[in-house]
Amino acid sequence: MKNILYVFSGVIFGIVMFKSEAISWFRIQEMFRFQAFHMYGIMGSAVVVGASFVAVLRRLGMNSITGEPMKFSEKKKLYKSPLIGGVIFGLGWAMTGACPGPLFVNVGAGYSVMLVVIGFAALGAFVHGLIAHRLPR
């Protein structure tokens, strides 16, 4: 049953991403060139809605979909690796015109060339797994 909920949530996510033009390569390029507010508005709205939901979930002490108590991480020390990873992620996002979620939405929308990007993203994750213990923290 929970897998059906995950699939349903993913389909809704994909529809919202497609209809809001968040998967559009042109919209993403506009964002990186500071030519339009569209993508910043979408991301800013998502942050506000997500933070509001987390605050409500914390306050109500709700359980997850599987019935387990939800755990929220506390503030952690800032390390170099997330900053380096964020720069690499941003460069990949700017070059391909998509971040991981919209990659699959693009494939579903018929942009099969994104399968190449998904393959290289998977390769990057695999290589990271191999060398993670040697990377700076």
Side-chain angles (χ1 to χ4, degrees):
M1 178 64 182
K2 73 177 180 179
N3 289 339
I4 292 171
L5 290 173
Y6 292 140
V7 169
F8 180 73
S9 299
V11 168
I12 296 298
F13 173 74
I15 291 169
V16 169
M17 295 294 285
F18 184 81
K19 291 293 188 179
S20 68
E21 297 182 3
I23 67 163
S24 166
W25 183 87
F26 299 105
R27 289 288 188 184
I28 292 168
Q29 291 303 306
E30 285 178 338
M31 175 188 69
F32 280 111
R33 293 178 181 164
F34 301 105
Q35 295 173 333
F37 182 75
H38 185 85
M39 291 297 290
Y40 294 112
I42 289 172
M43 286 187 268
S45 300
V47 168
V48 169
V49 170
S52 300
F53 272 107
V54 168
V56 168
L57 292 174
R58 275 185 157 173
R59 189 167 303 236
L60 297 177
M62 296 183 72
N63 291 335
S64 71
I65 197 168
T66 60
E68 301 167 11
M70 291 189 206
K71 298 176 186 172
F72 299 97
S73 61
E74 299 301 320
K75 262 191 173 177
K76 296 181 180 179
K77 182 180 172 187
L78 184 62
Y79 293 103
K80 284 190 270 183
S81 59
L83 296 174
I84 295 167
V87 168
I88 294 169
F89 180 88
L91 288 172
W93 190 11
M95 288 181 353
T96 63
C99 64
L103 285 177
F104 295 98
V105 178
N106 274 306
V107 171
Y111 303 112
S112 58
V113 70
M114 287 298 175
L115 289 170
V116 173
V117 179
I118 290 171
F120 279 103
L123 178 65
F126 177 75
V127 169
H128 177 267
L130 292 177
I131 65 170
H133 64 281
R134 293 188 217 149
L135 296 175
R137 291 194 175 240

